[in-house]
């Protein structure tokens, strides 16, 4: 059975197509996710895909119901092109999220009317969306620091779109990480209220839960945007991993979390595979970002109050 996708907003924001993770070697990063997280690679098994327009390499893989695109600029990185510029500035780091949109011209028109800068594929600014345009990027300056790709396309061969999708679930549930499903993306922000207002206003995101996480030392609010959750988190102090990230980079994607059945098993597996971890509390562990290519990856057994995907 195919994955059942939830859609939000007037313009049909649906499946989160992927999270993009940038490093200097897309294939090395792909191998890490495959070896440690049981990633199911469906593009770039033997060699990565090369795109001339952006002078970059990429692979695609599934971990549970999350698609990750590993990406690298052709080295040496060209700072005049988007991927090269990102790597030159941020190095190994999570890059963006992508969404399938049923009515991309309608959503783009909504964003433009709200004075959101939209980049055209390959660079430059859009003042109106050509109906033939397949994807675009609102500026992260206008989207609380999160780079969001909006697309009319599915990823070719995406396992979630195939009738065999439901048969893949045991691959991750029976893995030592015991992944049940993707939980959420975390975006570090300087001003939580402003970030939340931005997403509710321009993207029609749906508030799910808010509160304080004393262990992560952050105020947070979780929103549903299409078929996934985004958690915006404002650090209470610079003396924390999130606080240092926000102090250095400002508003920007920080990490992501999987819901797992057995945190002890997940932690032990990561450590056996040379990934150091921090046990934040009984039900939550996080990778050392130096061992996970610049991205803190959280694995926890804790459910989010009001999670619309809890029974999915």
């Amino acid at each position: 059975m195919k994955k059942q996708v939830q859609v939000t907003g007037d313009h049909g924001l649906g499946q989160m197509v992927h999270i993009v993770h940038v490093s200097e070697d897309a294939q090395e990063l792909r191998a890490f996710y495959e070896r440690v997280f049981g990633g199911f690679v469906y593009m770039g098994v033997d060699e990565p895909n090369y795109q001339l327009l952006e002078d970059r390499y990429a692979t695609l893989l599934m971990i549970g119901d999350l698609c990750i695109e590993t990406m690298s600029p052709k080295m040496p990185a060209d700072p005049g092109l988007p991927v090269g510029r990102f790597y030159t500035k941020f190095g190994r780091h999570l890059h963006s999220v992508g969404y399938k949109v049923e009515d991309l011209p309608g959503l783009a028109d909504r964003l433009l009317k709200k004075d959101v800068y939209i980049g055209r594929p390959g660079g430059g600014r859009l003042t109106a969306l050509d109906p033939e345009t397949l994807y675009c990027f609102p500026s992260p300056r206008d989207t609380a620091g999160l780079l969001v790709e909006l697309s009319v396309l599915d990823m070719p061969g995406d396992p979630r779109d195939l009738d065999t999708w439901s048969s893949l679930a045991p691959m991750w549930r029976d893995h030592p990480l015991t992944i049940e499903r993707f939980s959420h993306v975390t975006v570090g922000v300087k001003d939580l209220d402003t970030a939340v207002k931005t997403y509710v206003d321009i993207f029609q995101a749906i508030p799910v839960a808010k509160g304080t996480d004393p262990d992560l030392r952050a105020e947070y609010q979780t929103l549903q945007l299409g078929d996934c959750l985004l958690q915006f988190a404002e650090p209470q102090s610079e003396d924390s991993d999130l606080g240092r990230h926000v102090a250095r980079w400002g508003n920007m994607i920080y990490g992501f979390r999987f819901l797992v059945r057995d945190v002890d098993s997940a932690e032990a597996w990561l450590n056996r595979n040379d990934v150091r971890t921090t046990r934040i509390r009984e039900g939550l562990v996080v990778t050392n970002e130096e061992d996970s290519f610049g991205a803190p990856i959280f694995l926890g057994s804790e459910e989010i109050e009001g999670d619309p995907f809890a029974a999915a």
Side-chain angles (χ1 to χ4, degrees):
M1 183 176 67
K2 299 178 182 178
K3 186 178 187 295
Q4 303 304 300
V5 176
Q6 293 192 31
V7 174
T8 61
D10 294 337
H11 306 289
L13 254 162
Q15 181 148 278
M16 195 179 79
V17 178
H18 51 49
I19 290 176
V20 178
H21 189 170
V22 167
S23 78
E24 68 281 358
D25 187 331
Q27 201 72 330
E28 179 189 23
L29 181 53
R30 185 273 310 162
F32 164 77
Y33 277 122
E34 189 175 17
R35 174 178 60 85
V36 178
F37 284 83
F40 176 76
V41 182
Y42 69 94
M43 185 190 81
V45 177
D46 297 317
E47 61 181 28
N49 171 270
Y50 175 70
Q51 187 183 82
L52 179 62
L53 178 65
E54 295 184 350
D55 200 26
R56 59 88 173 137
Y57 295 99
T59 79
L60 291 167
L61 57 95
M62 298 300 306
I63 302 173
D65 54 349
L66 174 66
C67 177
I68 297 177
E69 181 170 11
T70 71
M71 187 177 291
S72 62
K74 184 177 180 180
M75 302 300 280
D78 181 352
L81 294 173
V83 179
R85 183 165 56 249
F86 181 92
Y87 179 78
T88 300
K89 182 176 181 179
F90 299 106
R92 293 178 167 185
H93 204 287
L94 295 177
H95 174 273
S96 61
V97 298
Y99 275 96
K100 172 77 176 291
V101 183
E102 294 173 356
D103 177 17
L104 183 57
L107 179 57
D109 185 60
R110 176 186 177 87
L111 298 179
L112 290 169
K113 286 178 178 177
K114 292 180 177 292
D115 297 321
V116 174
Y117 180 106
I118 299 180
R120 67 173 66 252
R125 182 174 189 168
L126 283 172
T127 55
L129 192 74
D130 185 317
E132 301 302 313
T133 299
L134 299 179
Y135 64 94
C136 63
F137 290 88
S139 170
R141 291 190 299 271
D142 296 326
T143 57
L146 179 62
L147 185 58
V148 183
E149 179 184 2
L150 304 173
S151 174
V152 300
L153 301 172
D154 295 302
M155 291 291 100
D158 189 328
R160 295 169 295 185
D161 297 330
L162 304 178
D163 289 333
T164 52
W165 165 245
S166 56
S167 70
L168 292 178
M171 286 182 58
W172 298 285
R173 291 174 182 162
D174 295 342
H175 187 278
L177 290 178
T178 70
I179 292 173
E180 290 289 317
R181 58 185 172 88
F182 172 59
S183 177
H184 60 268
V185 175
T186 299
V187 183
V189 296
K190 293 182 176 180
D191 186 327
L192 180 60
D193 290 341
T194 299
V196 169
K197 184 178 184 298
T198 295
Y199 274 77
V200 171
D201 180 35
I202 69 173
F203 285 120
Q204 299 175 294
I206 302 169
V208 173
K210 63 180 179 179
T212 301
D213 190 320
D215 298 309
L216 295 176
R217 287 181 279 175
E219 303 286 338
Y220 69 86
Q221 186 154 350
T222 306
L223 306 176
Q224 181 188 357
L225 186 64
D227 200 51
C228 85
L229 297 179
L230 303 179
Q231 188 175 89
F232 294 90
E234 178 184 342
Q236 297 173 316
S237 165
E238 291 188 8
D239 187 26
S240 66
D241 288 339
L242 176 64
R244 286 184 285 273
H245 185 271
V246 172
R248 182 177 184 184
W249 304 120
N251 293 354
M252 191 179 183
I253 187 171
Y254 170 63
F256 58 90
R257 186 184 299 192
F258 290 107
L259 181 69
V260 302
R261 189 174 61 255
D262 187 335
V263 179
D264 292 335
S265 177
E267 182 179 42
W269 172 260
L270 291 168
N271 294 163
R272 285 201 302 273
N273 283 275
D274 300 320
V275 178
R276 291 166 292 174
T277 56
T278 298
R279 191 66 171 260
I280 296 171
R281 52 181 174 262
E282 181 62 27
L284 185 63
V285 67
V286 63
T287 64
N288 183 312
E289 64 181 53
E290 292 181 1
D291 297 338
S292 48
F293 290 77
I297 302 172
F298 295 80
L299 301 99
S301 57
E302 305 162 347
E303 295 274 5
I304 293 175
E305 182 181 357
D307 187 342
F309 305 107

